[in-house]
């Protein structure tokens, strides 16, 4: 029997709760091992943890970061420093320095990292990409 990937979800606002319900809990290869949010009402039906407890948990292999934009970088880097794979909602950083901090953390830890941009492969984006490749646009 294959083991499931144990993940933590950090941030249960609109995007986080939506992804949790519509994607993560429906994936048979994923076990949501921990969830947390700074707003108690968002986690009353689940475990209430600080994000550091999630990133320190040795059983958790990956974390999804759905918090407000101002906290994305710090949480992602903390998780990467602890060897977790990170999937982070966009609105990545507020400065070029923060972007470089994230790059340097990846280079040092080699922890897998992915930005969860959700429209890169929609029909309109693929059409424009195809037009550029064919020289129809600049």
């Amino acid at each position: 029997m294959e083991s499931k990937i144990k993940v933590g979800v950090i941030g249960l606002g609109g995007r986080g709760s939506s992804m949790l319900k519509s994607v993560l809990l429906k994936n048979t290869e994923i076990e949501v091992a921990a969830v947390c949010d700074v707003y108690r009402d968002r986690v009353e039906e689940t475990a209430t943890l600080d994000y550091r407890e999630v990133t320190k948990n040795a059983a958790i292999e990956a974390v999804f970061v759905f918090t407000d934009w101002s906290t994305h970088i710090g949480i992602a880097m903390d998780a990467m420093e602890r060897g977790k794979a990170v999937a982070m909602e966009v609105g990545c950083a507020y400065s070029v320095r923060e972007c470089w901090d994230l790059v340097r953390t990846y280079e040092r830890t080699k922890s897998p990292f992915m930005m969860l941009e959700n429209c890169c492969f929609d029909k309109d984006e693929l059409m424009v990409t195809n037009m550029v490749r064919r020289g129809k646009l600049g």
Side-chain angles (χ1 to χ4, degrees), residues 64-124:
F64 290 84
V65 181
F66 300 118
T67 60
D68 69 271
W69 291 3
S70 67
T71 61
H72 280 180
I73 291 286
I75 292 170
M77 290 189 310
D78 180 67
M80 292 166 73
E81 292 287 354
R82 297 176 192 282
K84 311 298 183 201
V86 175
M88 183 174 73
E89 189 58 59
V90 294
C92 173
Y94 280 116
S95 69
V96 173
R97 188 186 129 263
E98 286 182 333
C99 292
W100 279 112
D101 289 346
L102 186 62
V103 168
R104 287 184 192 101
T105 301
Y106 166 76
E107 289 174 341
R108 186 176 57 261
T109 66
K110 301 297 187 218
S111 293
F113 175 84
M114 177 181 179
M115 288 180 58
L116 296 171
E117 177 54 54
N118 58 1
C119 72
C120 293
F121 303 104
D122 286 345
K123 188 178 356 177
D124 293 336

Side-chain angles (χ1 to χ4, degrees), residues 12-86:
L12 296 170
R15 183 72 169 150
S17 61
S18 171
M19 290 296 290
L20 181 66
K21 293 172 188 170
S22 66
V23 177
L24 300 174
L25 291 175
K26 291 182 178 183
N27 188 319
T28 59
E29 297 179 15
I30 292 176
E31 176 186 334
V32 178
V35 297
C36 70
D37 196 286
V38 295
Y39 297 101
R40 183 167 297 282
D41 63 317
R42 294 181 182 168
V43 292
E44 285 179 349
E45 296 178 15
T46 57
T48 304
L49 301 172
D50 179 273
Y51 83 85
R52 289 172 196 87
E53 293 175 76
V54 176
T55 61
K56 287 179 185 177
N57 185 330
I60 293 175
E61 301 167 71
V63 297
F64 290 84
V65 181
F66 300 118
T67 60
D68 69 271
W69 291 3
S70 67
T71 61
H72 280 180
I73 291 286
I75 292 170
M77 290 189 310
D78 180 67
M80 292 166 73
E81 292 287 354
R82 297 176 192 282
K84 311 298 183 201
V86 175

